[in-house]
Amino acid sequence: AQKVTQAQTEISVVEKEDVTLDCVYETRDTTYYLFWYKQPPSGELVFLIRRNSFDEQNEISGRYSWNFQKSTSSFNFTITASQVVDSAVYFCALKLTGGGNKLTFGTGTQLKVEL
Amino acid sequence: EAGVAQSPRYKIIEKRQSVAFWCNPISGHATLYWYQQILGQGPKLLIQFQNNGVVDDSQLPKDRFSAERLKGVDSTLKIQPAKLEDSAVYLCASSLGGQGAYEQYFGPGTRLTVT
């Protein structure tokens, strides 16, 4: 069975600080997809990124960057120069290539960015 | 393009009562999902439809929960009778397909409180 662990329950930073959200996953499958979603106070989950298990290239999108390391089963998410609008709960999720597109989510990390 | 619509946004009921939630997916999306998100946890898949057929309902408590997707578009999720532990946010999501790396788009959710 697959599992996603987000050990950081809550992180507080001051605006403009960099922050990294950790994600560790477990699966016996060799092919899978990893996702990050943002859940602002409004409640709607917003897709941020998808990465397949064959592509370990790091990705940068504006202030967001993702570090995928298959050797340590980690898919960490860094926000550079954080802003108050980044305050939300962030979820890491895993999907196997079979299994009907079912997402297995971690428990989420609450990020609070203060002025 | 309109997103996933859900109603109601909030519902408060007493235990042993019944409740129903409605979801309208993004137009053209064949796959529809219902997730349960208990406070402090990540979303958990309850049921997945491909068009109007069930793909995965392994985590649906079938003694009290039911769901249908008539005509392969809108869906309703029902709880009868509700228990205190059913208090959660119920999220509906849709995707173009049910396999591969299709991105799931989430609605705003229905927050259910059972007293």
Side-chain angles (χ1 to χ4, degrees), chain A residues 102-103 105, chain B residues 6 21 32-38 42-49 54-67 75-79 85-93 104 106 110 112:
Chain A
K102 171 185 173 181
L103 286 170
F105 285 87
Chain B
Q6 290 188 247
F21 312 128
L32 185 147
Y33 316 78
W34 282 102
Y35 288 85
Q36 179 191 57
Q37 186 178 15
I38 293 172
K44 181 185 81 171
L45 180 70
L46 291 176
I47 188 167
Q48 176 184 344
F49 292 94
V54 175
V55 173
D56 184 351
D57 64 356
S58 58
Q59 298 190 95
L60 186 74
K62 298 180 186 62
D63 57 334
R64 298 183 300 105
F65 286 64
S66 65
S75 177
T76 56
L77 176 69
K78 296 179 182 177
I79 307 175
E85 59 259 36
D86 298 332
S87 294
V89 175
Y90 291 85
L91 294 163
C92 180
Q104 295 184 26
F106 285 81
T110 297
L112 173 67

Side-chain angles (χ1 to χ4, degrees), chain A residues 37 39 47 50 91 95 100-101, chain B residues 33 37 48 98 100-101 104:
Chain A
Y37 280 86
Q39 189 173 42
F47 167 81
R50 173 184 57 242
F91 289 96
K95 191 196 92 65
N101 216 29
Chain B
Y33 316 78
Q37 186 178 15
Q48 176 184 344
Q104 295 184 26

Side-chain angles (χ1 to χ4, degrees), chain A residues 10-29:
Chain A
E10 185 173 320
I11 300 176
S12 291
V13 299
V14 175
E15 204 176 35
K16 298 183 184 177
E17 285 186 2
D18 299 346
V19 58
T20 296
L21 310 181
D22 298 334
C23 173
V24 174
Y25 62 93
E26 297 175 30
T27 179
R28 294 179 182 174
D29 285 37

Side-chain angles (χ1 to χ4, degrees), chain A residues 12 23 25 31 33-34 59 72-73 76-78 81 95 98 109:
Chain A
S12 291
C23 173
Y25 62 93
T31 58
Y33 294 93
L34 294 164
E59 182 158 337
T72 57
S73 298
N76 297 337
F77 172 31
T78 297
K95 191 196 92 65
T109 297

